[in-house]
Amino acid sequence: MKYVIETQKLSKWYGIVLGLSDVSLQIEPGITGILGPNGAGKSTFLKLVTGQIKPNIGTVTIMGQKVRNNYSLFSRIGFCPEQDSFYEEMTGWEFVTNLLKLYNFSHPEIEARAGEVLKIVELESDKDRIIKSYSRGMRQRLKFAQAIAHEPDIIILDEPLNGMDPLGRRKIIRLIKKYKTQGKTILASSHVLPEIEAMTNKIILIHQGMIFAQGDIQGIRDLIETHPHIVSIKCNNPVKLASEFIKKDYVLKVNFSSTPDVLLVETNNREEFFSFLPSFFVKYNIEVDEISSLDDNLQAVFDYLVGT
Amino acid sequence: MDHKKTVPYFLASLRNVFSFFFFLGRRTKRTKIFYLISFLPVVMAFIIKFSQIFSDSRDFTGIYIFSNMIIVFYIQFLILILALFFGTSVCSDEVEGKTLTYLTTRPVSKSAIILGKYGAYTLLTILMVWIGVILSFFILNVDKLLDFSLYRILLKDLAVLSLGLMCYTSFFTFIGTFLKKSILFGLVFGFGWESVIQYFPGATQRFAIAHYLKSLLPSPPRGRFSFLMFRLEPSSPGMAIFMLFLITAVFLGLACLLFYLKEYILED
Amino acid sequence: MFIKEKGYAHWDGELKKKKFPWMPITRYGIKLAFRKKSFRFFFYGALAPSGIFLIGIYVSERLEDFRSMIGETSRFVNINPAYFRNFLASDFLLFFLVILLLLCGAGLISDDLKYNSIQLYFSRPLKKREYFFGKVSVIVFFLFLVTLVPGLILFIMKLVFAGDLKFFASYPWLPLSIIGYSFLVTAFFSFYGLFLSSLSKNSRYVAVLIFGIYFFSHIIFQIFDGIFKNPYFSLLSIRANLQQMGAFFFNQKAPHAVSWIYSLLVLSGICVLAGFVLKKKIRGVEVVK
């Protein structure tokens, strides 16, 4: 299969800070999710792929062509940057139409495309408001709109769902999936696993500037499931709860925290643990104040995977 | 879709970037404030003329005041401030505002971005200056509007100011692409170097843009303002125009080259 | 199992009051300014005149030793209130104060506006005036270091080099003049700088305004003065007004034939306007109980 994006030994330093180290990848058409905790190097990777910054070592090619300063290539690329920055004095309509003017489209075509894309991201009714007055979610949708307005073959999205409400997220995810069926290549980054999971099953795990894993999402899901989780339960009868949990084989350890009514339970099967939890509460009439998973985040999973 | 067709030619890109920033430039609040500042000479002209009429004072002719206003206010202050702000904005605004990505991920060459935005801002500033100059001229010379020789002076002044804006803006565009703290350097250059160097004799003063601009203006008769032309050893008009175009071309070329080569990190 | 009702709750307890809640703002502002190489360069540059004037004081006490070197120019090292006026109200020092102001003051409020951090400040037990005080103290700190501190040191050094208190006996009011004028200049520039900083989110633009208005006001004065030869036009110039006040504080002949009261009114007017704008622009989040 022909790869759309290829990187060879890509490395980037910001002074003495390592941004990305020795990344060699091939990305095929379809949706590829880049997953990693904050500061992992996702944005650096996407900036290198879009030629925003120069690699210290290595190369990036898109469709076999070098990217940096190869401006004709950008007629086929749509980029949604991470930063929440705009030409604030413009309206949403002016922003999209003015950026479309930078392509070789005719005036009616620009208007038609802008109208269509603003309809897609549901900003049609707010298109004449200045961007400064937009909410965070609207700004995010506008950023997405400018990336897809010229119908690119390759769509690169840096944290595209940041700041969006659940409905907006669902809509954008549906759109991204639709583009996949059109044979486009979509590269989307996030630090939230369910977001990426909802888009694709092809992921790249990035951590501390290095590619940690690449492949099917089920693999990482399995790793997360087997990763011991600590769950904190604040309730009126932690002793009773502890005595019940200790009998279960999916519970590795039970601890009482320094706060008397808080119980810490370590499990290696989150799914089973959480499916039985409500029944315990009902059975023993336990009043619960709070349930939280102390390490239910990507950073914890990565720490577990890399053995730190 | 045939994506090759959506890549505009260089001149079309230039025009597109120009219209983008000419549109945006007119919209911003700070452009409006600069428009107001460039209207101050009009207010000054009005006050001067008004008081001359009522006091029946004929110490200075309208064209004498106008010519000095061009040097003292426009050449030594306004065009420097406008060029400094708008010139450095060409690149710095995009980097500081983190909007650079929107431009550099389009099928537009980096030279077209710099030249188009430079063109838009230069035209904006020229318009700002022209409106103020033309109105001041008519107010100060309201009693001699039929003296057509005065219009030649007006046209010449407008041309010199436009050349000045073109040249200074290109220099500051280069400074903006090169330095992070471009404003401070620009102030030191504009109000330090440019003022001091022209008082030096011989070839030294040729290292200032102001020297070529002043070479194109008539030397005012010795009097209250003559110290401003102190020791000016003017270049010939042809040479001055050539040098102004050359400086503009060189610094624009350098700005484009630097923008092409340099990596701009959009910091949080 | 029941779910407890969750809602917003107001803190009704008493917050421990800090004596100087604005202090961290000032400390951070000073630290931030000193991190800039360009600021350090101009800050030390602004201290250069005090070095030169100190040499002048030294020479004045050893006039005979330097007679062959300075010859006729010895009148320049005649140490009197005019000497101190020339130091504190010189074009050079005022120019450097403006440059320092644009380097340390341009971003003080405009950066907070840009990054929406004013709300963060006011989510702490910090009042509007304490925020303002924290910001203004940054400017005051630096401007005092190049006006008040060297001014007083020069005065003390004059007494030390002379070895007696004759100079103090002749001009007992001089230290008060130095303090008074330094306060005036610093207060004016603090209001002026913060006022312009609160007008825009773009600190580059604020820097241009700080310099441009100062310079521009003097150009207008020069043009009008050139045409009408009327000293009252000096009131249009920030620099001329500050120098008029300098002449008043050091009991010298004013550079322009206008009463210092008008200059004081102009400078105070700008400060009042600045205070009014700042009050409008610095807005915290109102918590309605």
Side-chain angles (χ1 to χ4, degrees):
Chain A
M1 175 177 278
K2 197 166 160 51
Y3 298 115
V4 180
I5 301 169
E6 284 187 84
T7 69
Q8 285 291 325
K9 297 191 176 299
L10 206 56
S11 302
K12 178 72 190 171
W13 292 273
Y14 300 105
I16 56 162
V17 179
L18 177 74
L20 208 66
S21 173
D22 200 27
V23 172
S24 296
L25 280 175
Q26 286 91 31
I27 293 166
E28 301 162 355
I31 306 169
T32 305
I34 300 179
L35 189 67
N38 290 327
K42 301 184 298 291
S43 291
T44 300
F45 177 69
L46 295 184
K47 280 177 191 162
L48 284 163
V49 165
T50 52
Q52 302 296 303
I53 50 175
K54 289 188 275 192
N56 293 94
I57 302 172
T59 54
V60 190
T61 54
I62 292 185
M63 293 168 172
Q65 297 181 52
K66 74 166 186 84
V67 184
R68 193 165 157 80
N69 290 328
N70 183 3
Y71 64 91
S72 60
L73 196 60
F74 286 101
S75 62
R76 310 187 69 171
I77 300 173
F79 181 52
C80 173
E82 180 197 16
Q83 64 268 13
D84 181 43
S85 310
F86 293 90
Y87 297 104
E88 302 277 348
E89 284 96 353
M90 283 183 167
T91 63
W93 172 261
E94 288 162 354
F95 180 68
V96 177
T97 52
N98 273 293
L99 287 175
L100 277 170
K101 277 181 195 164
L102 301 178
Y103 299 82
N104 210 14
F105 296 127
S106 65
H107 192 69
E109 205 175 351
I110 288 171
E111 297 222 324
R113 278 173 185 275
E116 193 188 324
V117 83
L118 288 170
K119 197 175 168 188
I120 289 173
V121 297
E122 292 175 353
L123 283 175
E124 212 183 7
S125 55
D126 297 295
K127 68 182 170 62
D128 295 323
R129 273 171 56 189
I130 57 164
I131 299 173
K132 214 189 274 182
S133 70
Y134 277 14
S135 70
R136 182 77 205 272
M138 289 161 87
R139 291 162 77 92
Q140 197 67 20
R141 279 183 276 153
L142 185 64
K143 230 162 49 176
F144 186 79
Q146 62 78 34
I148 58 167
H150 56 288
E151 286 183 43
D153 292 332
I154 302 155
I155 304 169
I156 298 171
L157 310 164
D158 197 354
E159 307 269 4
L161 305 177
N162 256 3
M164 276 195 193
D165 56 46
L167 273 176
R169 277 169 203 235
R170 236 184 11 227
K171 176 116 193 164
I172 296 290
I173 290 170
R174 250 202 324 264
L175 254 173
I176 292 172
K177 283 179 158 176
K178 196 181 112 190
Y179 287 130
K180 183 193 168 188
T181 62
Q182 295 170 359
K184 294 183 191 291
T185 306
I186 299 119
L187 196 57
S189 77
S190 177
H191 57 271
V192 182
L193 178 65
E195 278 181 10
I196 293 287
E197 209 173 10
M199 288 181 216
T200 181
N201 58 2
K202 256 196 301 184
I203 62 162
I204 295 166
L205 277 183
I206 191 165
H207 187 52
Q208 291 178 345
M210 285 178 277
I211 298 296
F212 186 73
Q214 183 184 6
D216 195 274
I217 201 155
Q218 200 49 50
I220 180 88
R221 196 25 115 187
D222 291 345
L223 282 170
I224 290 174
E225 289 307 327
T226 54
H227 162 218
H229 277 262
I230 298 172
V231 181
S232 155
I233 305 167
K234 190 178 179 189
C235 62
N236 65 346
N237 198 349
V239 179
K240 180 71 195 160
L241 209 54
S243 66
E244 286 304 315
F245 274 135
I246 204 76
K247 296 174 196 163
K248 304 292 175 194
D249 53 358
Y250 53 80
V251 172
L252 301 174
K253 214 189 278 177
V254 174
N255 266 329
F256 290 96
S257 87
S258 51
T259 326
D261 52 354
V262 174
L263 181 70
L264 300 173
V265 186
E266 192 175 324
T267 171
N268 60 359
N269 192 336
R270 237 163 48 121
E271 211 171 313
E272 206 171 348
F273 174 80
F274 280 112
S275 65
F276 279 108
L277 196 58
S279 60
F280 282 138
F281 295 148
V282 176
K283 192 173 168 187
Y284 302 109
N285 196 24
I286 292 169
E287 287 179 13
V288 183
D289 280 341
E290 193 180 291
I291 303 171
S292 58
S293 181
L294 298 184
D295 51 7
D296 193 10
N297 62 60
L298 210 52
Q299 182 63 53
V301 175
F302 274 104
D303 289 345
Y304 169 66
L305 296 178
V306 295
T308 53
Chain B
M1 189 171 64
D2 184 0
H3 282 283
K4 270 187 187 163
K5 283 184 187 164
T6 64
V7 181
Y9 291 114
F10 181 77
L11 282 179
S13 300
L14 203 65
R15 188 197 60 217
N16 295 341
V17 176
F18 173 88
S19 65
F20 184 118
F21 286 101
F22 191 68
F23 169 81
L24 185 65
R26 277 181 309 165
R27 179 64 67 83
T28 57
K29 215 195 288 175
R30 41 185 205 248
T31 307
K32 287 169 190 162
I33 291 179
F34 277 119
Y35 262 109
L36 277 179
I37 291 175
S38 54
F39 259 85
L40 282 170
V42 181
V43 178
M44 281 160 60
F46 191 76
I47 293 170
I48 292 166
K49 202 67 202 173
F50 195 73
S51 82
Q52 273 191 339
I53 290 167
F54 280 87
S55 64
D56 203 26
S57 160
R58 289 286 176 269
D59 283 355
F60 302 107
T61 60
I63 197 67
Y64 176 82
I65 296 168
F66 176 76
S67 299
N68 282 297
M69 210 183 238
I70 292 291
I71 291 178
V72 179
F73 183 79
Y74 283 98
I75 290 192
Q76 298 199 152
F77 175 72
L78 191 64
I79 64 165
L80 269 169
I81 285 282
L82 288 175
L84 171 64
F85 185 71
F86 284 94
T88 54
S89 293
V90 169
C91 183
S92 304
D93 259 8
E94 302 298 328
V95 177
E96 286 168 15
K98 289 184 253 176
T99 45
L100 185 67
T101 317
Y102 294 121
L103 301 175
T104 52
T105 52
R106 308 285 148 187
V108 174
S109 75
K110 288 190 172 171
S111 308
I113 295 172
I114 289 287
L115 296 176
K117 200 170 173 187
Y118 160 81
Y121 282 0
T122 305
L123 184 62
L124 268 177
T125 52
I126 286 176
L127 289 177
M128 273 181 211
V129 167
W130 274 26
I131 295 170
V133 170
I134 292 169
L135 287 174
S136 308
F137 174 84
F138 282 117
I139 293 168
L140 288 169
N141 298 291
V142 70
D143 45 348
K144 287 186 179 169
L145 290 179
L146 291 176
D147 183 350
F148 292 104
S149 65
L150 296 183
Y151 292 100
R152 215 178 316 134
I153 297 173
L154 171 67
L155 289 176
K156 196 174 176 184
D157 287 345
L158 289 175
V160 171
L161 291 174
S162 307
L163 279 172
L165 278 167
M166 180 189 82
C167 198
Y168 278 124
T169 310
S170 87
F171 177 74
F172 290 126
T173 298
F174 165 69
I175 295 299
T177 55
F178 183 50
L179 295 175
K180 216 170 170 187
K181 301 277 170 203
S182 48
I183 286 287
L184 184 69
F185 179 87
L187 286 174
V188 172
F189 171 82
F191 295 93
W193 176 266
E194 284 283 286
S195 309
V196 172
I197 201 80
Q198 53 184 307
Y199 293 92
F200 285 79
T204 330
Q205 51 185 258
R206 289 189 172 80
F207 292 102
I209 294 170
H211 165 82
Y212 299 105
L213 294 175
K214 287 186 178 175
S215 297
L216 292 170
L217 293 170
S219 301
R222 294 200 72 79
R224 211 170 166 82
F225 294 97
S226 62
F227 70 94
L228 293 165
M229 292 295 214
F230 185 66
R231 275 189 179 278
L232 178 72
E233 293 166 25
S235 301
S236 68
M239 181 55 138
I241 291 170
F242 171 75
M243 284 305 292
L244 288 169
F245 274 105
L246 183 70
I247 293 166
T248 305
V250 166
F251 283 111
L252 276 181
L254 285 173
C256 291
L257 183 70
L258 209 65
F259 192 63
Y260 179 83
L261 296 173
K262 204 176 160 183
E263 172 185 77
Y264 294 94
I265 309 279
L266 310 180
E267 287 166 356
D268 284 324
Chain C
M1 185 177 70
F2 68 92
I3 296 168
K4 284 189 177 174
E5 192 195 335
K6 293 280 179 192
Y8 291 105
H10 285 283
W11 168 255
D12 286 321
E14 251 189 55
L15 285 167
K16 200 179 156 194
K17 259 286 190 199
K18 263 193 153 186
K19 211 171 177 187
F20 303 111
W22 47 269
M23 203 57 167
I25 301 176
T26 308
R27 213 180 299 130
Y28 182 68
I30 292 169
K31 221 190 269 177
L32 211 63
F34 257 114
R35 260 188 228 160
K36 296 180 200 161
K37 237 186 263 172
S38 51
F39 177 81
R40 292 198 299 268
F41 175 79
F42 280 99
F43 178 72
Y44 297 128
L47 289 174
S50 46
I52 294 164
F53 277 77
L54 183 64
I55 293 169
I57 290 174
Y58 176 76
V59 171
S60 74
E61 291 301 328
R62 299 280 182 275
L63 213 50
E64 286 315 308
D65 300 339
F66 290 95
R67 178 71 66 197
S68 60
M69 281 165 70
I70 59 174
E72 286 304 302
T73 56
S74 61
R75 64 193 168 88
F76 290 119
V77 285
N78 184 14
I79 310 301
N80 53 24
Y83 188 81
F84 285 85
R85 192 273 313 263
N86 291 344
F87 165 61
L88 283 169
S90 65
D91 288 354
F92 184 83
L93 190 70
L94 291 176
F95 175 81
F96 264 87
L97 293 185
V98 173
I99 296 287
L100 284 186
L101 183 65
L102 72 88
L103 284 171
C104 78
L108 277 179
I109 295 179
S110 80
D111 284 348
D112 287 348
L113 292 171
K114 183 176 175 184
Y115 300 113
N116 277 333
S117 46
I118 289 192
Q119 291 178 6
L120 287 179
Y121 281 109
F122 292 126
S123 64
R124 268 84 179 149
L126 191 80
K127 289 179 189 142
K128 212 180 207 182
R129 64 163 181 272
E130 287 162 346
Y131 170 83
F132 172 75
F133 206 69
K135 294 288 178 184
V136 97
S137 303
V138 178
I139 302 175
V140 169
F141 174 79
F142 288 118
L143 296 200
F144 270 178
L145 277 184
V146 291
T147 56
L148 179 69
V149 175
L152 290 176
I153 288 176
L154 286 179
F155 182 80
I156 293 165
M157 291 314 284
K158 170 68 191 166
L159 301 181
V160 172
F161 287 149
D164 55 44
L165 292 174
K166 251 191 255 169
F167 185 71
F168 182 62
S170 309
Y171 308 109
W173 46 268
L174 193 55
L176 289 177
S177 298
I178 294 168
I179 293 168
Y181 185 66
S182 301
F183 261 89
L184 176 99
V185 170
T186 304
F188 171 76
F189 277 129
S190 301
F191 272 99
Y192 174 70
L194 287 186
F195 160 55
L196 294 175
S197 181
S198 71
L199 291 185
S200 172
K201 288 180 182 177
N202 184 335
S203 57
R204 274 180 341 103
Y205 177 59
V206 173
V208 170
L209 282 184
I210 288 176
F211 186 87
I213 292 174
Y214 177 79
F215 200 84
F216 172 70
S217 68
H218 199 70
I219 287 182
I220 294 187
F221 153 59
Q222 282 181 317
I223 292 177
F224 279 125
D225 188 47
I227 294 163
F228 298 111
K229 298 177 192 75
N230 185 336
Y232 279 89
F233 283 110
S234 65
L235 296 175
L236 294 172
S237 160
I238 292 174
R239 192 205 298 178
N241 281 312
L242 288 171
Q243 288 174 333
Q244 286 285 95
M245 291 308 298
F248 162 73
F249 271 98
F250 292 94
N251 202 18
Q252 301 296 306
K253 186 177 178 286
H256 309 285
V258 184
S259 166
W260 61 272
I261 296 199
Y262 293 118
S263 288
L264 184 65
L265 282 175
V266 170
L267 296 174
S268 315
I270 295 171
C271 291
V272 169
L273 172 76
F276 180 75
V277 172
L278 282 166
K279 206 176 164 194
K280 289 259 168 209
K281 287 273 180 183
I282 304 169
R283 268 179 302 199
V285 180
E286 295 288 326
V287 178
V288 184
K289 260 198 163 184

